[in-house]
Amino acid sequence: MTDVLAVDAVGVTKTFGAVRAVDDISVRVKAGEVYGVLGPNGAGKTTFLRMLFGLIRPDSGTIEVFGRTWDEAGVGVLDGVAGFIESPKFYPYLTGRQNLEGLALLDGGVRPGLLDEVLDLVEMTERADQKVGGYSYGMRQRLGVAASLLREPRLLVLDEPANGLDPAGIRDMRALVKRLAASGLTVLLSSHHMDEVEEICDNVTIMRRGSVAFHGSIADLRAMAPDPGHRMVTSDDDRAVALAARHPAVSVVRDPDPDGRPALAVTGPQRQVSGYVASIVQADVELLELTPTQTPLEALFFMLTDDETEMEGAR
Amino acid sequence: MRRTIITILTALVVVLGLGTAVIAANGGDSSTVTRARLERSLPTTFANLYVTQAALQGRTGITAASVHPQAMCDKAGAVGKDIGPGGDWVCLMSWTDPEVPMPPEGYGKFELNVHSNDCYTASGPSKLTGFLTMTDSKGREVTNPVFEFDGCFDPHGDNAATGVVFPSLLNATSTTVTPDPQGRASIQVTCGTGDQGCAGTVAVTAGGTDLGTVPYDLQEESTGTVVAPKRLPAGAKEVTFTVRPTTGVGPTSPVVLPVQPAG
Amino acid sequence: MSTTETLPTGHEVVATPVRRRGGVLSALRWELRKLRAQYRARAVLLGALLMPIVVVVVIQGQSRPPKDTLLGRFATENGFALALLVLGFASQWVLPLLTAIVAGDIFASEDQHGTWKTVLTRSTSRGRLFWAKTLTAAGFAALVLLVLAVSTIASSLLIVGHQPLIGLSGQTIPTAEALRLVAASWATMLPPMLGFTCLAILLSVWSRNPAVGIAAPVVIGMVMQLVGALGGVEAIRPFLLSTPFEAWHGLLTQPRFTGPLVEGLLTSGAWCAGSLAIAFVLLRHRDITGG
Ligand SMILES: Nc1ncnc2c1ncn2[C@@H]1O[C@H](COP(=O)(O)OP(=O)(O)O)[C@@H](O)[C@H]1O
Ligand SMILES: [Mg+2]
């Protein structure tokens, strides 16, 4: 019975002057899933999410949220939807709690205790009574999540929530998003990092310069991914290259560092690479360094969003 | 910043454009400041203040009705139209006060600065209305309410002509007579604000000698020179000018001026 | 599950709003709360309370009264005249400024803080926010005017005195009536002040810049004042938003005239309606790309 899609965007297009920020995008998010919108900076992710919230009017195309459109339901489209676009913004002259109280007023009030619950969830209880003007970027980001959860949404939309955070902040934010996703919430997440999306998302849309570069499940994406790459430094690169001839599935090429130190780029399926490395070690060549350069999905992501490559999405 | 400048410029253009459009549609002669409205407003205000002044002096029996002022107003002399704000309005006003008789011409001259917001500041003839301060009945120095006063009138008030007219007053402005190179005596006269301007004759005599009679015809608020046709006899000490107006009024007694030898 | 299956339209269960939505009143309460927290709003109210006292003391200490202003010649000896002198001065640019400080900022500050997206993602329609902000700005204008009027009249009467007033037809107005007329004159400032409030709102929405929203109405007001004082272009006077500021003159004459008051009400109303209509359309149709 829940075949009503959380988001059903069809053929959405938006141009700013000469820039086609979003070009004929269609996104379908099923209720309960965690959906990723991936793309490098300027791909049009934010513009698409703004249209979802009615902040921007699309030039053409329709956006349905839980079966309702802006034309019919007006702002009612946002019932059950919460989230933030880019970095969340608050009134700097009010405290965190006052900001949330005000936003709760705009929502028509919230159930008692919820405000403290969400502050607690994002670990902002202690700083809630300080003015937002003095908050750090990460604190504002967490307050943004709290403000969204205050709406007790069924669909949570987060636009690059880890953007601009320090490593610890990124880790905390990802953990938070993971927890929220695990709680059964429908989440629409945008990101320009593959690894942020691949762990938690069921389906993704990869955008490139306003249009769709890939559309499908993470599993489909994995199937398309190239072999993992490694960077290898040995005591005897000539022997190592020669030994590669016995491993046809593995490609080994000289790939010196930018500063000239010799190194080898090793690409191939994981099992075969392991066999090759074992043969080097058996041949008494010392293995000084072996590091993965790119995860396969990352490599695919760069391929898909690189301006030179054209690829049709699966599905 | 650019947006700011554009904002302000746009607003100015809109205001000015609207202004030009309205003026073009109205022919530019639509001021609410008119002669008739001033001629109604000034006497009312003056009468009220005159009663206040009388009360300060401890006089009784003076009421706004008994003062019964009447005014004739004029803007910028004979040439200007009697409409619109400006500092060049003149109102001639007569009123009744047994203790302050009107001068022979029958009125006092008030100078008005009228603003576009239908308010004005009037200053009265101090000979008739007194100076900035006055002494009240208790001997205190107080502000004289009619020396200079403000008033406002209804921009939609009655605009029919009041029909009050006063004659122009011809005044001699010369204080001495200096014979011109031909040896003729002359006098400078000005014709004040009034109904039809000034016209008539001036008879000039020096001692017992008749120097001739000269006609004059001046517009209101203009100045002219009356030159005796005959030469001034040598040794004449004084010249007498006798004005006989046919239009307007003039000095009631002959004007006698001393002769200032040329050079 | 069992409960939803008994419903005739199963799909609607999911689409039914799970939460209430705040109406204009909630939005209004929110705006008022923000306004109360703002330093500038409190500073304006405090200024409106204290400045008149300073002005009254300074003018009263002058040896010569400011004669070139209407009623100024009595200002040092009559409290009512002084209260009206301050009124005339305030209407030149102070009243537009006081209202613009809030009205010119109330929309643009959302741009400044990037908070449009914050409030517009809360199921609050742009229309509702628009009216809440407009009502807040208008209410604030009325409050500032009230504070300024009460402070001016009270300090004038207490410091200078309450002798009978000489009106604009030279008539002597007894104290009790003078107080009534002076208060009424101050009250007639409300329509043009609200006109300036609406103008500031329009400029605030249009420029998205608080500085423009605050400064431009004051500049426009002064330009209108200047144009209105020029001879020869008086035909546009009835259309200027500065003209209704002078309509109180009719209350202090004898007989009283109210034509300019009615015209002023229409002019202010037209400016307000026009400004708000444009502002509303601009806000409704703009893309919120900032923040
Ligand atoms: N207000 C705007 N005016 C003009 N161009 C814009 C505007 N907003 C976004 N763009 C352009 O649209 C494109 C997509 O931007 P955006 O949606 O922010 O991308 P992303 O969020 O994926 O980084 C970019 O090329 C950007 O320059
Ligand atoms: Mg973005």
Side-chain angles (χ1 to χ4, degrees):
Chain A
M1 55 147 268
T2 52
D3 57 346
V4 171
L5 291 166
V7 177
D8 188 4
V10 181
V12 177
T13 299
K14 178 74 189 179
T15 42
F16 293 111
V19 182
R20 219 159 232 255
V22 169
D23 189 1
D24 196 19
I25 292 281
S26 299
V27 170
R28 295 156 65 87
V29 181
K30 292 204 264 327
E33 79 172 321
V34 179
Y35 197 99
V37 176
L38 258 167
N41 283 329
K45 306 180 293 293
T46 299
T47 305
F48 173 68
L49 296 183
R50 279 183 194 273
M51 286 190 282
L52 186 69
F53 275 115
L55 296 173
I56 291 181
R57 232 162 276 254
D59 297 338
S60 60
T62 56
I63 301 179
E64 272 184 32
V65 183
F66 292 117
R68 300 160 158 223
T69 64
W70 276 89
D71 286 344
E72 304 154 9
V75 77
V77 167
L78 295 185
D79 289 341
V81 184
F84 56 80
I85 300 292
E86 296 188 320
S87 57
K89 294 288 168 70
F90 295 96
Y91 300 94
Y93 50 86
L94 297 178
T95 66
R97 185 183 295 278
Q98 285 170 332
N99 267 288
L100 293 194
E101 281 167 356
L103 296 176
L105 256 181
L106 292 183
D107 287 338
V110 293
R111 77 175 152 77
L114 181 61
L115 209 150
D116 289 316
E117 277 173 40
V118 296
L119 279 171
D120 208 37
L121 189 73
V122 298
E123 292 159 14
M124 283 294 294
T125 309
E126 276 154 49
R127 312 296 294 271
D129 293 313
Q130 294 170 6
K131 292 223 162 108
V132 171
Y135 279 14
S136 71
Y137 193 90
M139 288 161 73
R140 278 177 221 202
Q141 211 82 355
R142 277 186 280 157
L143 192 64
V145 176
S148 305
L149 296 180
L150 206 52
R151 284 168 68 73
E152 301 189 283
R154 288 177 298 155
L155 169 63
L156 184 64
V157 180
L158 298 174
D159 185 19
E160 307 203 28
N163 206 12
L165 298 180
D166 59 13
I170 292 176
R171 189 195 57 217
D172 292 350
M173 182 57 74
R174 285 187 187 174
L176 181 61
V177 172
K178 230 181 279 183
R179 242 185 308 151
L180 293 171
S183 72
L185 207 59
T186 312
V187 179
L188 177 53
L189 177 76
S190 94
S191 176
H192 65 267
H193 278 301
M194 191 48 150
D195 53 349
E196 187 167 279
V197 170
E198 70 177 304
E199 291 177 66
I200 50 174
C201 289
D202 309 316
N203 289 300
V204 291
T205 288
I206 298 182
M207 289 179 76
R208 182 176 66 93
R209 292 212 274 161
S211 34
V212 175
F214 173 84
H215 204 57
S217 67
I218 291 283
D220 291 343
L221 203 59
R222 285 219 165 85
M224 287 171 62
D227 295 329
H230 296 87
R231 178 176 170 282
M232 188 166 77
V233 181
T234 64
S235 58
D236 188 347
D237 282 356
D238 292 337
R239 287 278 304 278
V241 172
L243 283 165
R246 278 190 259 153
H247 298 266
V250 181
S251 122
V252 178
V253 288
R254 284 177 197 275
D255 183 17
D257 281 355
D259 51 11
R261 281 201 299 139
L264 299 171
V266 180
T267 328
Q270 199 66 56
R271 280 190 71 88
Q272 274 75 3
V273 170
S274 301
Y276 165 61
V277 171
S279 70
I280 294 179
V281 176
Q282 277 159 16
D284 252 4
V285 176
E286 272 180 68
L287 190 60
L288 301 175
E289 194 181 323
L290 181 68
T291 39
T293 42
Q294 259 180 351
T295 69
L297 282 181
E298 248 171 357
L300 178 63
F301 173 61
F302 287 126
M303 275 163 63
L304 287 170
T305 56
D306 192 27
D307 279 349
E308 258 71 287
T309 333
E310 286 290 335
M311 255 181 118
E312 267 312 300
R315 193 198 267 190
Chain B
M1 196 59 212
R2 221 179 70 208
R3 234 186 143 79
T4 316
I5 294 167
I6 292 172
T7 313
I8 291 167
L9 284 184
T10 315
L12 290 182
V13 166
V14 167
V15 168
L16 295 181
L18 189 82
T20 335
V22 174
I23 291 161
N26 278 290
D29 225 16
S30 55
S31 179
T32 50
V33 177
T34 62
R35 171 179 172 169
R37 291 191 183 118
L38 281 175
E39 286 177 355
R40 285 189 173 82
S41 171
L42 183 68
T44 311
T45 306
F46 177 75
N48 284 327
L49 292 170
Y50 200 77
V51 172
T52 307
Q53 185 198 37
L56 283 171
Q57 289 165 334
R59 296 173 61 197
T60 50
I62 299 273
T63 64
S66 80
V67 175
H68 187 63
Q70 284 193 303
M72 169 196 167
C73 295
D74 184 279
K75 185 180 193 284
V79 277
K81 280 190 185 170
D82 295 338
I83 188 164
D88 49 358
W89 278 94
V90 168
C91 292
L92 308 178
M93 187 151 57
S94 73
W95 65 95
T96 314
D97 179 354
E99 287 184 27
V100 184
M102 288 293 112
E105 64 270 21
Y107 54 78
K109 181 177 153 192
F110 288 73
E111 282 170 1
L112 270 68
N113 186 3
V114 189
H115 307 290
S116 60
N117 65 5
D118 311 307
C119 291
Y120 55 86
T121 303
S123 50
S126 38
K127 260 187 286 176
L128 298 176
T129 56
F131 291 92
L132 177 62
T133 56
M134 53 181 265
T135 312
D136 73 359
S137 55
K138 294 176 191 124
R140 287 175 306 191
E141 194 79 341
V142 293
T143 306
N144 177 2
V146 290
F147 171 72
E148 207 176 49
F149 54 91
D150 298 316
C152 295
F153 57 88
D154 185 353
H156 305 301
D158 190 357
N159 201 24
T162 57
V164 176
V165 286
F166 289 112
S168 291
L169 173 64
L170 190 78
N171 258 321
T173 47
S174 311
T175 50
T176 57
V177 172
T178 307
D180 66 8
Q182 286 85 49
R184 294 176 303 179
S186 62
I187 185 172
Q188 205 165 50
V189 290
T190 55
C191 178
T193 307
D195 188 25
Q196 312 258 318
C198 309
T201 55
V202 182
V204 192
T205 54
T209 323
D210 179 10
L211 299 181
T213 299
V214 191
Y216 65 88
D217 190 356
L218 294 174
Q219 287 194 321
E220 60 168 335
E221 290 183 32
S222 66
T223 302
T225 308
V226 173
V227 185
K230 296 184 188 146
R231 282 180 69 91
L232 189 66
K237 290 275 183 290
E238 284 180 342
V239 181
T240 305
F241 299 88
T242 311
V243 180
R244 292 193 195 86
T246 52
T247 305
V249 292
T252 40
S253 51
V255 181
V256 181
L257 300 179
V259 175
Q260 184 96 51
Chain C
M1 272 306 131
S2 57
T3 50
T4 53
E5 271 163 9
T6 59
L7 290 171
T9 47
H11 289 0
E12 297 307 311
V13 175
V14 176
T16 308
V18 290
R19 59 175 320 109
R20 293 180 291 149
R21 258 172 266 152
V24 175
L25 272 182
S26 311
L28 189 62
R29 275 176 61 200
W30 172 221
E31 288 300 329
L32 289 176
R33 209 179 270 196
K34 280 194 297 175
L35 193 62
R36 271 208 305 272
Q38 273 178 44
Y39 162 75
R40 77 173 78 208
R42 276 174 286 164
V44 166
L45 284 176
L46 200 67
L49 186 69
L50 299 182
M51 278 315 287
I53 302 174
V54 175
V55 169
V56 165
V57 169
V58 166
I59 293 181
Q60 210 245 349
Q62 303 285 305
S63 53
R64 289 145 169 263
K67 279 195 301 189
D68 41 0
T69 320
L70 205 57
L71 291 162
R73 64 186 75 252
F74 308 113
T76 53
E77 54 196 46
N78 185 300
F80 297 113
L82 181 49
L84 291 172
L85 176 80
V86 174
L87 169 71
F89 172 69
S91 66
Q92 285 176 2
W93 56 270
V94 176
L95 295 181
L97 176 66
L98 289 181
T99 183
I101 286 178
V102 165
D105 177 70
I106 198 160
F107 285 88
S109 72
E110 303 282 356
D111 288 289
Q112 194 189 21
H113 295 134
T115 40
W116 276 120
K117 63 180 187 190
T118 309
V119 287
L120 289 177
T121 49
R122 309 299 300 191
S123 307
T124 310
S125 70
R126 298 184 186 198
R128 248 177 273 161
L129 274 177
F130 180 85
W131 290 116
K133 283 177 184 294
T134 301
L135 285 176
T136 304
F140 183 79
L143 180 65
V144 167
L145 180 62
L146 182 71
V147 170
L148 193 68
V150 169
S151 170
T152 303
I153 296 173
S155 55
S156 299
L157 297 189
L158 289 177
I159 295 171
V160 180
H162 47 81
Q163 303 80 359
L165 172 69
I166 294 193
L168 293 174
S169 294
Q171 84 278 27
T172 303
I173 306 174
T175 298
E177 206 195 345
L179 179 61
R180 218 166 48 74
L181 289 178
V182 169
S185 298
W186 272 92
T188 65
M189 296 292 113
L190 188 60
M193 198 170 167
L194 289 179
F196 273 99
T197 306
C198 298
L199 188 62
I201 285 174
L202 169 60
L203 292 165
S204 180
V205 169
W206 185 74
S207 70
R208 305 177 193 178
N209 179 340
V212 176
I214 294 171
V218 180
V219 173
I220 292 173
M222 293 206 288
V223 169
M224 286 198 215
Q225 201 103 36
L226 219 72
V227 171
L230 291 179
V233 292
E234 292 159 287
I236 62 165
R237 267 183 67 82
F239 303 99
L240 298 177
L241 194 45
S242 55
T243 305
F245 277 134
E246 295 181 313
W248 60 273
H249 295 163
L251 296 179
L252 292 172
T253 60
Q254 196 182 45
R256 230 163 261 171
F257 58 87
T258 50
L261 280 173
V262 175
E263 279 172 23
L265 207 60
L266 292 176
T267 305
S268 308
W271 273 89
C272 203
S275 300
L276 288 185
I278 299 173
F280 187 75
V281 170
L282 283 179
L283 184 66
R284 277 292 291 263
H285 290 280
R286 81 173 260 208
D287 282 341
I288 310 287
T289 55

